[in-house]
């Protein structure tokens, strides 16, 4: 009636495997749903970034100008490079406000902001506002480098039209990632042309670290407990689950999305281990509770008060009653602790002689009842004899101990009637000199 350790271990292994498979399946399906969630969040982030950049146009159009001589100035932490004496827009405040708002979306992946203003007197010259001013900006603005103004070079290099398009779907451009010279920082640039009376007069430039998209994904994974990552041609062993089209970027500038199966495996193992550990704890606690409620602490047999009412409704059962011979004398002569040792060992040997579907019950102090199903009279005698021999064949607690056994087969008889027959058979074994087996067939 009690599971062996092997049975328990097999059950635990099966439970662990089921938990692992179920955890992996749930995590995978959850991540497939999260791909769509991230795509929407990605589009929301980049559109808010684009909309923030577009705010520079009304500010640029309505800001004042100031006369500056050729040179480099720092105004409110914004560097202004003037290539010839000209009127320069006062953009420092707007750039600082724009930087603050842009950092809400890209955080530490911000690299630099620039607004390049065409000279009002010389089309081959320009004024540039930078925050911060980097070595690459100084290098590009050197006399050797600028054979034409910055805006013209950007239009040519990035293939941006200088004409104003009213119905243009993308009024700005996000470049592919590239490595910036001198700093060796991998960045993307966003170009946004500014028009006055449909004439291109300035160019807004935002450089962001190429890691910005990874930062968005990592933050999403942390917040949503998902395992998504970008894949590209450098990851040929992973399948593409979905992709993100980056708006206002080159036609092939697509981010592939996939699910990190390795992480799903690791977390599935962790979940399965925790769930199985909890199951084992609950199962063992429940076993102890059942043992406390239904089993006798000393013998490990079932308690009479738990089963007697249920047994009274049974039919066609065979019963063996085992009684320890002269047990009162053992208690009187050696003490109750020695008597407990005898009972414990007798029951241990008794349990070794019964089958898994037999029901062994401590019926009284030194009396035990075994309820069996589907046995013949010969089988019943042989099994009763095996119990008797196992007890008497070797000393228990340093003394010779024997049992008397009465057994009965209840063919279509109630449990009470069969039990009474077995009790009569037990008294016959006692009267025959003890250490005997008697079997009745009803």
């Amino acid at each position: 009636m009690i599971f062996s350790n092997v049975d328990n271990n097999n059950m635990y292994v099966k439970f662990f495997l089921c938990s692992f498979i179920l955890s992996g399946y749930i995590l995978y399906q959850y991540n497939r749903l999260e791909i769509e969630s991230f795509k929407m969040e990605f589009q929301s982030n980049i559109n808010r970034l684009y909309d923030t950049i577009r705010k520079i146009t009304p500010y640029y159009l309505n800001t004042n100008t100031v006369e500056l001589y050729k040179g480099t100035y720092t105004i409110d932490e914004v560097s202004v490079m003037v290539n010839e004496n000209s009127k320069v827009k006062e953009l420092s405040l707007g750039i600082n406000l724009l930087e603050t708002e842009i950092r809400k979306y890209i955080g530490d992946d911000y690299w630099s902001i620039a607004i390049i203003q065409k000279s009002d007197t010389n089309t081959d010259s320009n004024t540039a506002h930078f925050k911060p001013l980097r070595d690459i900006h100084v290098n590009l603005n050197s006399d050797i480098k600028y054979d034409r103004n910055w805006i013209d070079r950007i239009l040519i290099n990035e293939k941006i039209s200088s004409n104003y398009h009213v119905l243009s779907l993308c009024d700005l451009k996000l470049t592919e990632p590239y490595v910036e010279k001198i700093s060796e920082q991998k960045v993307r640039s966003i170009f946004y042309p500014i028009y006055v009376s449909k004439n291109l007069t300035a160019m807004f430039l935002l450089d962001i670290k190429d890691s910005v998209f990874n930062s968005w994904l990592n933050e999403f994974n942390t917040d949503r407990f998902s395992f998504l990552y970008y894949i590209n041609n450098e990851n040929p062993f992973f399948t593409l689950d979905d992709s993100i089209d980056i708006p206002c970027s080159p036609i092939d500038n697509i981010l592939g999305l996939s699910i990190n199966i390795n992480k799903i495996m690791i977390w599935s193992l962790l979940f399965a281990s925790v769930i199985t550990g909890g199951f084992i704890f609950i199962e063992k606690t429940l076993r102890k509770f059942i043992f406390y409620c239904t089993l006798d602490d000393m013998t490990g047999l079932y308690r009479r008060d738990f089963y007697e009412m249920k047994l009274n409704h049974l039919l066609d059962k065979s019963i063996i009653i085992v009684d320890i011979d002269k047990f009162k004398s053992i208690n009187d002569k050696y003490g109750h602790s020695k008597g407990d040792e005898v009972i414990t060992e007798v029951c241990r040997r008794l349990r070794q002689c019964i089958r898994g579907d037999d029901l062994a019950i401590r019926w009284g102090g030194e009396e035990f009842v075994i309820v069996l199903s589907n046995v013949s009279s010969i089988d019943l005698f042989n099994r009763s004899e095996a119990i008797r021999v196992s007890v008497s064949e070797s000393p228990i607690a340093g003394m010779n101990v024997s049992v008397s056994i009465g057994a009965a087969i209840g063919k279509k008889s109630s449990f009470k009637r069969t039990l009474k027959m077995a009790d009569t058979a037990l008294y016959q074994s006692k009267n025959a000199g003890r250490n005997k087996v008697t079997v009745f067939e009803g």
Side-chain angles (χ1 to χ4, degrees), residues 126-140:
N126 50 245
T127 299
H129 306 252
F130 295 100
K131 186 175 183 186
L133 179 65
R134 300 190 182 277
D135 292 339
I136 185 64
H137 302 145
V138 177
N139 182 264
L140 289 172

Side-chain angles (χ1 to χ4, degrees), residues 144-297:
I144 300 176
K145 296 290 181 182
Y146 82 96
D147 52 340
R148 58 173 60 89
N149 71 53
W150 277 34
I151 293 180
D152 289 341
R153 276 184 283 157
I154 291 173
L155 295 177
I156 293 171
N157 293 337
E158 300 300 330
K159 299 178 181 179
I160 298 174
S161 174
S162 61
N163 299 320
Y164 178 77
H165 299 281
V166 178
L167 300 178
S168 175
L169 294 177
C170 282
D171 54 352
L172 45 70
K173 179 182 179 181
L174 171 67
T175 69
E176 294 180 344
Y178 63 92
V179 177
E180 186 182 81
K181 294 179 180 179
I182 301 178
S183 67
E184 300 297 324
Q185 175 65 49
K186 193 173 185 180
V187 297
R188 290 175 181 260
S189 296
I190 301 176
F191 297 102
Y192 176 61
I194 300 172
Y195 298 91
V196 176
S197 300
K198 298 184 180 182
N199 294 317
L200 182 62
T201 59
M203 181 71 71
F204 175 88
L205 171 61
L206 172 65
D207 287 336
I208 56 177
K209 296 178 184 177
D210 183 48
S211 57
V212 63
F213 296 155
N214 285 320
S215 298
W216 287 352
L217 184 57
N218 292 337
E219 184 177 351
F220 179 87
N221 284 336
T222 301
D223 292 342
R224 304 290 287 267
F225 192 68
S226 55
F227 310 124
L228 309 180
Y229 73 108
Y230 299 118
I231 62 174
N232 50 43
N233 294 332
E234 297 174 1
N235 299 295
F237 299 107
F238 295 94
T239 59
L240 179 68
D241 290 302
D242 214 323
S243 60
I244 297 176
D245 294 323
I246 306 174
C248 299
S249 62
I251 193 168
D252 58 345
N253 204 359
I254 295 175
L255 294 175
L257 268 180
S258 188
I259 299 170
N260 192 322
I261 300 300
N262 289 337
K263 284 191 175 181
I264 286 184
M265 296 283 285
I266 292 171
W267 278 100
S268 297
L269 284 171
L270 180 60
F271 287 154
S273 300
V274 172
I275 294 170
T276 304
F279 171 77
I280 292 173
F281 173 78
I282 293 172
E283 191 264 347
K284 287 187 175 181
T285 302
L286 188 59
R287 281 186 186 279
K288 290 180 181 179
F289 178 75
I290 294 174
F291 183 87
Y292 176 78
C293 293
T294 65
L295 300 183
D296 178 69
D297 291 340

Side-chain angles (χ1 to χ4, degrees), residues 391-411:
V391 173
S392 61
E393 66 182 355
S394 60
I396 296 176
M399 65 188 80
N400 293 323
V401 178
S402 65
V403 294
S404 296
I405 297 176
I409 296 179
K411 292 183 178 179

Side-chain angles (χ1 to χ4, degrees), residues 100-115:
T100 300
E101 191 164 350
I102 286 174
R103 283 186 181 272
K104 294 179 183 178
Y105 309 123
I106 63 175
D108 293 336
D109 290 305
Y110 169 88
W111 187 242
S112 69
I113 282 178
I115 298 179

